[in-house]
PDB file of all heavy atoms in Angstrom:
ATOM      1  N   PHE A  14     116.247  96.999  95.622  1.00 98.00           N
ATOM      2  CA  PHE A  14     116.559  96.605  97.001  1.00 98.00           C
ATOM      3  C   PHE A  14     118.030  96.227  97.194  1.00 98.00           C
ATOM      4  O   PHE A  14     118.443  95.894  98.298  1.00 98.00           O
ATOM      5  CB  PHE A  14     115.630  95.473  97.442  1.00 98.00           C
ATOM      6  CG  PHE A  14     114.221  95.955  97.667  1.00 98.00           C
ATOM      7  CD1 PHE A  14     113.274  95.835  96.673  1.00 98.00           C
ATOM      8  CD2 PHE A  14     113.861  96.581  98.849  1.00 98.00           C
ATOM      9  CE1 PHE A  14     111.975  96.302  96.855  1.00 98.00           C
ATOM     10  CE2 PHE A  14     112.575  97.053  99.050  1.00 98.00           C
ATOM     11  CZ  PHE A  14     111.626  96.923  98.051  1.00 98.00           C
ATOM     12  N   LEU A  15     118.813  96.333  96.118  1.00 98.00           N
ATOM     13  CA  LEU A  15     120.259  96.190  96.255  1.00 98.00           C
ATOM     14  C   LEU A  15     120.882  97.453  96.840  1.00 98.00           C
ATOM     15  O   LEU A  15     122.030  97.453  97.269  1.00 98.00           O
ATOM     16  CB  LEU A  15     120.898  95.887  94.890  1.00 98.00           C
ATOM     17  CG  LEU A  15     120.531  94.539  94.253  1.00 98.00           C
ATOM     18  CD1 LEU A  15     121.115  94.436  92.850  1.00 98.00           C
ATOM     19  CD2 LEU A  15     121.013  93.380  95.121  1.00 98.00           C
ATOM     20  N   MET A  16     120.106  98.551  96.845  1.00 98.00           N
ATOM     21  CA  MET A  16     120.611  99.817  97.358  1.00 98.00           C
ATOM     22  C   MET A  16     120.478  99.864  98.877  1.00 98.00           C
ATOM     23  O   MET A  16     119.442  99.502  99.433  1.00 98.00           O
ATOM     24  CB  MET A  16     119.856 100.988  96.716  1.00 98.00           C
ATOM     25  CG  MET A  16     120.506 102.349  96.950  1.00 98.00           C
ATOM     26  SD  MET A  16     119.677 103.703  96.076  1.00 98.00           S
ATOM     27  CE  MET A  16     120.024 103.278  94.372  1.00 98.00           C
ATOM     28  N   LYS A  17     121.530 100.310  99.530  1.00 98.00           N
ATOM     29  CA  LYS A  17     121.545 100.434 100.988  1.00 98.00           C
ATOM     30  C   LYS A  17     120.372 101.291 101.459  1.00 98.00           C
ATOM     31  O   LYS A  17     120.086 102.346 100.911  1.00 98.00           O
ATOM     32  CB  LYS A  17     122.873 101.075 101.416  1.00 98.00           C
ATOM     33  CG  LYS A  17     123.030 101.331 102.903  1.00 98.00           C
ATOM     34  CD  LYS A  17     123.269 100.062 103.681  1.00 98.00           C
ATOM     35  CE  LYS A  17     123.564 100.356 105.146  1.00 98.00           C
ATOM     36  NZ  LYS A  17     123.737  99.114 105.937  1.00 98.00           N
ATOM     37  N   ASP A  18     119.664 100.812 102.478  1.00 98.00           N
ATOM     38  CA  ASP A  18     118.531 101.496 103.129  1.00 98.00           C
ATOM     39  C   ASP A  18     117.244 101.492 102.312  1.00 98.00           C
ATOM     40  O   ASP A  18     116.265 102.125 102.717  1.00 98.00           O
ATOM     41  CB  ASP A  18     118.882 102.951 103.486  1.00 98.00           C
ATOM     42  CG  ASP A  18     119.625 103.068 104.812  1.00 98.00           C
ATOM     43  OD1 ASP A  18     119.960 102.020 105.398  1.00 98.00           O
ATOM     44  OD2 ASP A  18     119.867 104.204 105.267  1.00 98.00           O
ATOM     45  N   MET A  19     117.218 100.808 101.167  1.00 98.00           N
ATOM     46  CA  MET A  19     115.984 100.801 100.368  1.00 98.00           C
ATOM     47  C   MET A  19     114.838 100.129 101.126  1.00 98.00           C
ATOM     48  O   MET A  19     113.675 100.567 101.031  1.00 98.00           O
ATOM     49  CB  MET A  19     116.223 100.103  99.022  1.00 98.00           C
ATOM     50  CG  MET A  19     115.001 100.131  98.090  1.00 98.00           C
ATOM     51  SD  MET A  19     114.464 101.801  97.633  1.00 98.00           S
ATOM     52  CE  MET A  19     115.731 102.265  96.455  1.00 98.00           C
ATOM     53  N   GLU A  20     115.152  99.099 101.879  1.00 98.00           N
ATOM     54  CA  GLU A  20     114.117  98.421 102.664  1.00 98.00           C
ATOM     55  C   GLU A  20     113.478  99.407 103.645  1.00 98.00           C
ATOM     56  O   GLU A  20     112.244  99.478 103.774  1.00 98.00           O
ATOM     57  CB  GLU A  20     114.723  97.230 103.411  1.00 98.00           C
ATOM     58  CG  GLU A  20     113.718  96.366 104.152  1.00 98.00           C
ATOM     59  CD  GLU A  20     112.769  95.614 103.226  1.00 98.00           C
ATOM     60  OE1 GLU A  20     113.225  95.105 102.186  1.00 98.00           O
ATOM     61  OE2 GLU A  20     111.549  95.557 103.540  1.00 98.00           O
ATOM     62  N   LYS A  21     114.308 100.170 104.342  1.00 98.00           N
ATOM     63  CA  LYS A  21     113.795 101.150 105.307  1.00 98.00           C
ATOM     64  C   LYS A  21     112.999 102.262 104.610  1.00 98.00           C
ATOM     65  O   LYS A  21     111.943 102.687 105.089  1.00 98.00           O
ATOM     66  CB  LYS A  21     114.958 101.783 106.080  1.00 98.00           C
ATOM     67  CG  LYS A  21     115.751 100.827 106.948  1.00 98.00           C
ATOM     68  CD  LYS A  21     116.933 101.564 107.580  1.00 98.00           C
ATOM     69  CE  LYS A  21     117.814 100.631 108.389  1.00 98.00           C
ATOM     70  NZ  LYS A  21     119.001 101.342 108.933  1.00 98.00           N
ATOM     71  N   ALA A  22     113.521 102.733 103.474  1.00 98.00           N
ATOM     72  CA  ALA A  22     112.869 103.837 102.765  1.00 98.00           C
ATOM     73  C   ALA A  22     111.498 103.434 102.238  1.00 98.00           C
ATOM     74  O   ALA A  22     110.509 104.169 102.393  1.00 98.00           O
ATOM     75  CB  ALA A  22     113.758 104.318 101.618  1.00 98.00           C
ATOM     76  N   THR A  23     111.416 102.248 101.635  1.00 98.00           N
ATOM     77  CA  THR A  23     110.133 101.809 101.069  1.00 98.00           C
ATOM     78  C   THR A  23     109.125 101.478 102.171  1.00 98.00           C
ATOM     79  O   THR A  23     107.930 101.716 102.023  1.00 98.00           O
ATOM     80  CB  THR A  23     110.330 100.595 100.152  1.00 98.00           C
ATOM     81  OG1 THR A  23     111.013  99.552 100.874  1.00 98.00           O
ATOM     82  CG2 THR A  23     111.152 100.958  98.927  1.00 98.00           C
ATOM     83  N   HIS A  24     109.630 100.942 103.283  1.00 98.00           N
ATOM     84  CA  HIS A  24     108.743 100.669 104.419  1.00 98.00           C
ATOM     85  C   HIS A  24     108.111 101.968 104.912  1.00 98.00           C
ATOM     86  O   HIS A  24     106.906 102.017 105.199  1.00 98.00           O
ATOM     87  CB  HIS A  24     109.537 100.001 105.547  1.00 98.00           C
ATOM     88  CG  HIS A  24     108.729  99.763 106.789  1.00 98.00           C
ATOM     89  ND1 HIS A  24     107.863  98.690 106.924  1.00 98.00           N
ATOM     90  CD2 HIS A  24     108.646 100.467 107.961  1.00 98.00           C
ATOM     91  CE1 HIS A  24     107.275  98.755 108.109  1.00 98.00           C
ATOM     92  NE2 HIS A  24     107.734  99.820 108.761  1.00 98.00           N
ATOM     93  N   ARG A  25     108.920 103.036 104.975  1.00 98.00           N
ATOM     94  CA  ARG A  25     108.387 104.309 105.472  1.00 98.00           C
ATOM     95  C   ARG A  25     107.410 104.932 104.479  1.00 98.00           C
ATOM     96  O   ARG A  25     106.387 105.517 104.875  1.00 98.00           O
ATOM     97  CB  ARG A  25     109.538 105.293 105.751  1.00 98.00           C
ATOM     98  CG  ARG A  25     109.060 106.624 106.365  1.00 98.00           C
ATOM     99  CD  ARG A  25     108.365 106.399 107.697  1.00 98.00           C
ATOM    100  NE  ARG A  25     107.751 107.599 108.267  1.00 98.00           N
ATOM    101  CZ  ARG A  25     106.507 108.008 108.028  1.00 98.00           C
ATOM    102  NH1 ARG A  25     105.721 107.315 107.187  1.00 98.00           N
ATOM    103  NH2 ARG A  25     106.029 109.086 108.603  1.00 98.00           N
ATOM    104  N   LEU A  26     107.667 104.800 103.182  1.00 98.00           N
ATOM    105  CA  LEU A  26     106.721 105.334 102.195  1.00 98.00           C
ATOM    106  C   LEU A  26     105.421 104.545 102.182  1.00 98.00           C
ATOM    107  O   LEU A  26     104.328 105.125 102.045  1.00 98.00           O
ATOM    108  CB  LEU A  26     107.352 105.348 100.795  1.00 98.00           C
ATOM    109  CG  LEU A  26     107.780 106.753 100.328  1.00 98.00           C
ATOM    110  CD1 LEU A  26     108.907 107.278 101.197  1.00 98.00           C
ATOM    111  CD2 LEU A  26     108.193 106.754  98.871  1.00 98.00           C
ATOM    112  N   CYS A  27     105.513 103.237 102.330  1.00 98.00           N
ATOM    113  CA  CYS A  27     104.292 102.415 102.393  1.00 98.00           C
ATOM    114  C   CYS A  27     103.466 102.790 103.619  1.00 98.00           C
ATOM    115  O   CYS A  27     102.219 102.851 103.546  1.00 98.00           O
ATOM    116  CB  CYS A  27     104.655 100.931 102.428  1.00 98.00           C
ATOM    117  SG  CYS A  27     105.300 100.296 100.865  1.00 98.00           S
ATOM    118  N   LYS A  28     104.128 103.043 104.735  1.00 98.00           N
ATOM    119  CA  LYS A  28     103.420 103.480 105.945  1.00 98.00           C
ATOM    120  C   LYS A  28     102.730 104.820 105.694  1.00 98.00           C
ATOM    121  O   LYS A  28     101.579 105.028 106.115  1.00 98.00           O
ATOM    122  CB  LYS A  28     104.408 103.590 107.107  1.00 98.00           C
ATOM    123  CG  LYS A  28     103.772 104.023 108.438  1.00 98.00           C
ATOM    124  CD  LYS A  28     104.814 104.107 109.543  1.00 98.00           C
ATOM    125  CE  LYS A  28     104.169 104.439 110.888  1.00 98.00           C
ATOM    126  NZ  LYS A  28     103.453 105.734 110.895  1.00 98.00           N
ATOM    127  N   ALA A  29     103.433 105.735 105.023  1.00 98.00           N
ATOM    128  CA  ALA A  29     102.842 107.045 104.717  1.00 98.00           C
ATOM    129  C   ALA A  29     101.593 106.891 103.858  1.00 98.00           C
ATOM    130  O   ALA A  29     100.588 107.584 104.070  1.00 98.00           O
ATOM    131  CB  ALA A  29     103.874 107.915 104.000  1.00 98.00           C
ATOM    132  N   ILE A  30     101.643 105.973 102.909  1.00 98.00           N
ATOM    133  CA  ILE A  30     100.495 105.745 102.026  1.00 98.00           C
ATOM    134  C   ILE A  30      99.333 105.128 102.807  1.00 98.00           C
ATOM    135  O   ILE A  30      98.174 105.542 102.672  1.00 98.00           O
ATOM    136  CB  ILE A  30     100.918 104.845 100.838  1.00 98.00           C
ATOM    137  CG1 ILE A  30     101.878 105.619  99.918  1.00 98.00           C
ATOM    138  CG2 ILE A  30      99.701 104.359 100.062  1.00 98.00           C
ATOM    139  CD1 ILE A  30     102.587 104.760  98.897  1.00 98.00           C
ATOM    140  N   ARG A  31      99.640 104.153 103.671  1.00 97.00           N
ATOM    141  CA  ARG A  31      98.591 103.507 104.471  1.00 97.00           C
ATOM    142  C   ARG A  31      97.960 104.476 105.466  1.00 97.00           C
ATOM    143  O   ARG A  31      96.746 104.473 105.676  1.00 97.00           O
ATOM    144  CB  ARG A  31      99.164 102.308 105.233  1.00 97.00           C
ATOM    145  CG  ARG A  31      99.413 101.080 104.383  1.00 97.00           C
ATOM    146  CD  ARG A  31      99.627  99.855 105.270  1.00 97.00           C
ATOM    147  NE  ARG A  31     100.669 100.084 106.277  1.00 97.00           N
ATOM    148  CZ  ARG A  31     101.953  99.818 106.088  1.00 97.00           C
ATOM    149  NH1 ARG A  31     102.360  99.324 104.930  1.00 97.00           N
ATOM    150  NH2 ARG A  31     102.839 100.034 107.050  1.00 97.00           N
ATOM    151  N   ASP A  32      98.790 105.340 106.080  1.00 97.00           N
ATOM    152  CA  ASP A  32      98.313 106.218 107.146  1.00 97.00           C
ATOM    153  C   ASP A  32      97.871 107.589 106.648  1.00 97.00           C
ATOM    154  O   ASP A  32      97.496 108.451 107.447  1.00 97.00           O
ATOM    155  CB  ASP A  32      99.425 106.412 108.192  1.00 97.00           C
ATOM    156  CG  ASP A  32      99.804 105.113 108.883  1.00 97.00           C
ATOM    157  OD1 ASP A  32      99.072 104.118 108.713  1.00 97.00           O
ATOM    158  OD2 ASP A  32     100.852 105.086 109.576  1.00 97.00           O
ATOM    159  N   SER A  33      97.941 107.810 105.318  1.00 97.00           N
ATOM    160  CA  SER A  33      97.588 109.116 104.731  1.00 97.00           C
ATOM    161  C   SER A  33      98.370 110.258 105.383  1.00 97.00           C
ATOM    162  O   SER A  33      97.815 111.279 105.797  1.00 97.00           O
ATOM    163  CB  SER A  33      96.076 109.374 104.847  1.00 97.00           C
ATOM    164  OG  SER A  33      95.357 108.413 104.121  1.00 97.00           O
ATOM    165  N   ASP A  34      99.669 110.055 105.488  1.00 98.00           N
ATOM    166  CA  ASP A  34     100.548 111.067 106.085  1.00 98.00           C
ATOM    167  C   ASP A  34     100.590 112.341 105.236  1.00 98.00           C
ATOM    168  O   ASP A  34     100.314 112.317 104.025  1.00 98.00           O
ATOM    169  CB  ASP A  34     101.977 110.533 106.201  1.00 98.00           C
ATOM    170  CG  ASP A  34     102.151 109.585 107.375  1.00 98.00           C
ATOM    171  OD1 ASP A  34     101.241 109.494 108.208  1.00 98.00           O
ATOM    172  OD2 ASP A  34     103.221 108.930 107.443  1.00 98.00           O
ATOM    173  N   THR A  35     100.983 113.422 105.877  1.00 98.00           N
ATOM    174  CA  THR A  35     101.312 114.656 105.164  1.00 98.00           C
ATOM    175  C   THR A  35     102.804 114.619 104.855  1.00 98.00           C
ATOM    176  O   THR A  35     103.623 114.407 105.754  1.00 98.00           O
ATOM    177  CB  THR A  35     100.978 115.897 106.011  1.00 98.00           C
ATOM    178  OG1 THR A  35      99.564 115.940 106.226  1.00 98.00           O
ATOM    179  CG2 THR A  35     101.413 117.172 105.305  1.00 98.00           C
ATOM    180  N   VAL A  36     103.143 114.803 103.582  1.00 98.00           N
ATOM    181  CA  VAL A  36     104.536 114.635 103.144  1.00 98.00           C
ATOM    182  C   VAL A  36     105.019 115.902 102.440  1.00 98.00           C
ATOM    183  O   VAL A  36     104.293 116.502 101.646  1.00 98.00           O
ATOM    184  CB  VAL A  36     104.680 113.437 102.173  1.00 98.00           C
ATOM    185  CG1 VAL A  36     106.146 113.231 101.795  1.00 98.00           C
ATOM    186  CG2 VAL A  36     104.097 112.169 102.788  1.00 98.00           C
ATOM    187  N   VAL A  37     106.257 116.289 102.745  1.00 98.00           N
ATOM    188  CA  VAL A  37     106.923 117.372 102.019  1.00 98.00           C
ATOM    189  C   VAL A  37     108.046 116.759 101.189  1.00 98.00           C
ATOM    190  O   VAL A  37     108.890 116.028 101.718  1.00 98.00           O
ATOM    191  CB  VAL A  37     107.498 118.435 102.975  1.00 98.00           C
ATOM    192  CG1 VAL A  37     108.369 119.435 102.207  1.00 98.00           C
ATOM    193  CG2 VAL A  37     106.375 119.179 103.691  1.00 98.00           C
ATOM    194  N   VAL A  38     108.038 117.041  99.880  1.00 98.00           N
ATOM    195  CA  VAL A  38     109.133 116.634  99.001  1.00 98.00           C
ATOM    196  C   VAL A  38     110.095 117.812  98.915  1.00 98.00           C
ATOM    197  O   VAL A  38     109.718 118.906  98.479  1.00 98.00           O
ATOM    198  CB  VAL A  38     108.631 116.249  97.605  1.00 98.00           C
ATOM    199  CG1 VAL A  38     109.802 115.775  96.735  1.00 98.00           C
ATOM    200  CG2 VAL A  38     107.565 115.163  97.695  1.00 98.00           C
ATOM    201  N   TYR A  39     111.324 117.603  99.364  1.00 98.00           N
ATOM    202  CA  TYR A  39     112.316 118.679  99.436  1.00 98.00           C
ATOM    203  C   TYR A  39     113.323 118.488  98.296  1.00 98.00           C
ATOM    204  O   TYR A  39     114.035 117.498  98.263  1.00 98.00           O
ATOM    205  CB  TYR A  39     113.042 118.629 100.789  1.00 98.00           C
ATOM    206  CG  TYR A  39     113.801 119.880 101.153  1.00 98.00           C
ATOM    207  CD1 TYR A  39     113.462 120.609 102.280  1.00 98.00           C
ATOM    208  CD2 TYR A  39     114.860 120.333 100.371  1.00 98.00           C
ATOM    209  CE1 TYR A  39     114.158 121.760 102.634  1.00 98.00           C
ATOM    210  CE2 TYR A  39     115.554 121.479 100.698  1.00 98.00           C
ATOM    211  CZ  TYR A  39     115.203 122.191 101.829  1.00 98.00           C
ATOM    212  OH  TYR A  39     115.883 123.332 102.159  1.00 98.00           O
ATOM    213  N   GLY A  40     113.329 119.440  97.360  1.00 97.00           N
ATOM    214  CA  GLY A  40     114.179 119.273  96.186  1.00 97.00           C
ATOM    215  C   GLY A  40     115.261 120.314  96.034  1.00 97.00           C
ATOM    216  O   GLY A  40     115.670 120.962  96.986  1.00 97.00           O
ATOM    217  N   ASP A  41     115.715 120.457  94.803  1.00 93.00           N
ATOM    218  CA  ASP A  41     116.760 121.418  94.461  1.00 93.00           C
ATOM    219  C   ASP A  41     116.281 122.223  93.259  1.00 93.00           C
ATOM    220  O   ASP A  41     115.336 121.840  92.574  1.00 93.00           O
ATOM    221  CB  ASP A  41     118.066 120.670  94.147  1.00 93.00           C
ATOM    222  CG  ASP A  41     119.223 121.610  93.858  1.00 93.00           C
ATOM    223  OD1 ASP A  41     119.244 122.705  94.438  1.00 93.00           O
ATOM    224  OD2 ASP A  41     120.097 121.255  93.043  1.00 93.00           O
ATOM    225  N   TYR A  42     116.972 123.331  92.972  1.00 92.00           N
ATOM    226  CA  TYR A  42     116.477 124.267  91.962  1.00 92.00           C
ATOM    227  C   TYR A  42     116.986 123.993  90.551  1.00 92.00           C
ATOM    228  O   TYR A  42     116.649 124.721  89.627  1.00 92.00           O
ATOM    229  CB  TYR A  42     116.820 125.711  92.358  1.00 92.00           C
ATOM    230  CG  TYR A  42     118.184 125.893  92.975  1.00 92.00           C
ATOM    231  CD1 TYR A  42     119.343 125.760  92.222  1.00 92.00           C
ATOM    232  CD2 TYR A  42     118.312 126.194  94.330  1.00 92.00           C
ATOM    233  CE1 TYR A  42     120.579 125.922  92.791  1.00 92.00           C
ATOM    234  CE2 TYR A  42     119.565 126.369  94.906  1.00 92.00           C
ATOM    235  CZ  TYR A  42     120.699 126.231  94.139  1.00 92.00           C
ATOM    236  OH  TYR A  42     121.936 126.383  94.706  1.00 92.00           O
ATOM    237  N   ASP A  43     117.821 122.972  90.357  1.00 92.00           N
ATOM    238  CA  ASP A  43     118.281 122.692  88.994  1.00 92.00           C
ATOM    239  C   ASP A  43     117.351 121.677  88.327  1.00 92.00           C
ATOM    240  O   ASP A  43     116.326 121.281  88.885  1.00 92.00           O
ATOM    241  CB  ASP A  43     119.735 122.216  88.997  1.00 92.00           C
ATOM    242  CG  ASP A  43     119.921 120.853  89.661  1.00 92.00           C
ATOM    243  OD1 ASP A  43     118.926 120.260  90.131  1.00 92.00           O
ATOM    244  OD2 ASP A  43     121.074 120.366  89.717  1.00 92.00           O
ATOM    245  N   VAL A  44     117.689 121.255  87.100  1.00 95.00           N
ATOM    246  CA  VAL A  44     116.808 120.356  86.349  1.00 95.00           C
ATOM    247  C   VAL A  44     116.643 119.024  87.062  1.00 95.00           C
ATOM    248  O   VAL A  44     115.533 118.500  87.187  1.00 95.00           O
ATOM    249  CB  VAL A  44     117.339 120.134  84.917  1.00 95.00           C
ATOM    250  CG1 VAL A  44     116.402 119.194  84.144  1.00 95.00           C
ATOM    251  CG2 VAL A  44     117.464 121.453  84.170  1.00 95.00           C
ATOM    252  N   ASP A  45     117.746 118.468  87.539  1.00 95.00           N
ATOM    253  CA  ASP A  45     117.678 117.187  88.242  1.00 95.00           C
ATOM    254  C   ASP A  45     116.786 117.299  89.473  1.00 95.00           C
ATOM    255  O   ASP A  45     115.923 116.454  89.731  1.00 95.00           O
ATOM    256  CB  ASP A  45     119.086 116.732  88.632  1.00 95.00           C
ATOM    257  CG  ASP A  45     119.141 115.285  89.118  1.00 95.00           C
ATOM    258  OD1 ASP A  45     118.160 114.548  88.906  1.00 95.00           O
ATOM    259  OD2 ASP A  45     120.165 114.913  89.706  1.00 95.00           O
TER     260      ASP A  45
END
């Protein structure tokens, strides 16, 4: 929570978990 916007990000993920949202994880094609 020392990271900027972590409060907002975790709040939105917790809401997604509570509401059974449909989520898309958008990544990149390298190892990372």
Side-chain angles (χ1 to χ4, degrees):
F14 288 96
L15 294 174
M16 193 175 293
K17 178 74 174 177
D18 276 6
M19 184 61 75
E20 186 67 41
K21 296 176 184 177
T23 55
H24 176 80
R25 184 61 187 89
L26 255 66
C27 289
K28 181 180 184 300
I30 291 167
R31 284 195 307 270
D32 297 349
S33 297
D34 282 349
T35 296
V36 183
V37 171
V38 182
Y39 196 118
D41 183 32
Y42 39 70
D43 67 0
V44 180
D45 192 14

